[in-house]
Amino acid sequence: MTLITETHLRTQLIKGLPNPFPITDGDKLTPAAADFLKDRGISLQRMAPSESTILPGSEDIGLKLIPVGVSNRHVHLSPEHVKALFGANYSLTPLRELSQKGQFAARETVTLVGPKGIIQHVRILGPSRGATQVEISRTDGYVLGVHPPVRLSGDIQGTPSITLVGASGTVVLQQGLIIAKNHVHMSPEDAHIFQVNEGDRLIVQAMGERPIIFADTIVRVSAHFSLDFHIDLDEANAAHLNIGDKVQMIGKNGEITRAERRQL
């Protein structure tokens, strides 16, 4: 079954909506979508599944929604750098829990110093990690005068240098500055429901006023993860997404699903 919404119909306007509009037996048209078609004088044409224009062999996974987590600039510190920035035997102080189990935003912040500018009050996320990593947006990079690559968290080899200033000291990272690649955290149970594996590349679409498609979203699976689509502030602003909004999975590994191919 495909759920046809007004939002999805609006995404078709640029290409032109067919009249009559084809729907397959079992499809569900929301009242707003029905009114949207009626207001434009577009009738409905019921079609048998074999008559539809979807790609053969594609998989109908239905309507699968993923909550959005928007990450502002932040820092992950190694234990060594916690001490260098805040003093010996110092421990990060939890401020609030994050969506992923065991992770928290700390009360402590640092100042980032780049070749052309600084950004103050950058939040530290805990607990501490094996290697220090700084995640910023591309817009932040212009402020600092640096141009880090888009990388998955933990992939910091060959990334730019940045200076961190804390309450008790300064650390000059030789590498560790990235723009985080968007990704989806999933538990093994979520991965089973979505029929995906670690490292798969999802195609997800925003469902609001700007139905932007994110075509290369990496799946990360762990028993410690909760379902969450992680994007940075630039991406969220471009797609008019806020924390708690939902995006829809419409395909994976370069192929649009059967459920949504007809609607784009």
Side-chain angles (χ1 to χ4, degrees), residues 40-220:
R40 287 159 177 77
I42 299 174
S43 61
L44 298 177
Q45 180 182 12
R46 294 282 177 181
M47 302 175 64
S50 60
E51 297 178 295
S52 64
T53 59
I54 54 180
L55 289 183
S58 57
E59 181 182 22
D60 188 345
I61 63 168
L63 186 67
K64 297 201 183 302
L65 303 180
I66 305 170
V68 174
V70 181
S71 294
N72 200 354
R73 66 185 77 96
H74 61 271
V75 176
H76 301 278
L77 293 177
S78 68
E80 173 190 1
H81 288 159
V82 171
K83 295 177 182 178
L85 292 167
F86 297 99
N89 302 317
Y90 193 92
S91 296
L92 296 175
T93 309
L95 174 65
R96 63 179 182 274
E97 294 184 352
L98 301 179
S99 60
Q100 299 306 311
K101 301 172 187 176
Q103 298 187 19
F104 61 88
R107 292 187 181 277
E108 294 79 10
T109 63
V110 295
T111 296
L112 302 182
V113 181
K116 293 185 178 180
I118 67 172
I119 298 178
Q120 298 178 307
H121 310 301
V122 178
R123 187 68 57 189
I124 299 169
L125 303 188
S128 56
R129 292 186 173 187
T132 295
Q133 176 177 291
V134 179
E135 299 180 28
I136 64 172
S137 69
R138 190 178 187 193
T139 299
D140 293 334
Y142 291 127
V143 174
L144 294 168
V146 291
H147 304 287
V150 177
R151 296 277 186 89
L152 282 175
S153 180
D155 183 9
I156 62 173
Q157 187 67 36
T159 56
S161 172
I162 192 73
T163 298
L164 285 62
V165 180
S168 299
T170 299
V171 169
V172 179
L173 291 183
Q174 297 307 309
Q175 61 180 15
L177 182 67
I178 67 169
I179 298 171
K181 181 170 178 53
N182 57 56
H183 55 281
V184 173
H185 286 156
M186 290 188 179
S187 68
E189 293 75 18
D190 292 324
H192 176 74
I193 292 171
F194 280 78
Q195 302 174 31
V196 298
N197 298 301
E198 171 79 22
D200 277 348
R201 298 172 180 269
L202 301 190
I203 305 171
V204 299
Q205 182 177 19
M207 301 177 68
E209 295 179 5
R210 287 187 170 179
I212 288 174
I213 291 175
F214 298 86
D216 191 40
T217 300
I218 305 300
V219 175
R220 311 199 81 170

Side-chain angles (χ1 to χ4, degrees), residues 238-257:
H240 284 198
L241 289 171
N242 297 304
I243 294 173
D245 288 345
K246 290 182 171 58
V247 294
Q248 182 177 2
M249 173 181 167
I250 62 170
K252 66 180 181 180
N253 299 329
E255 182 181 1
I256 300 292
T257 68

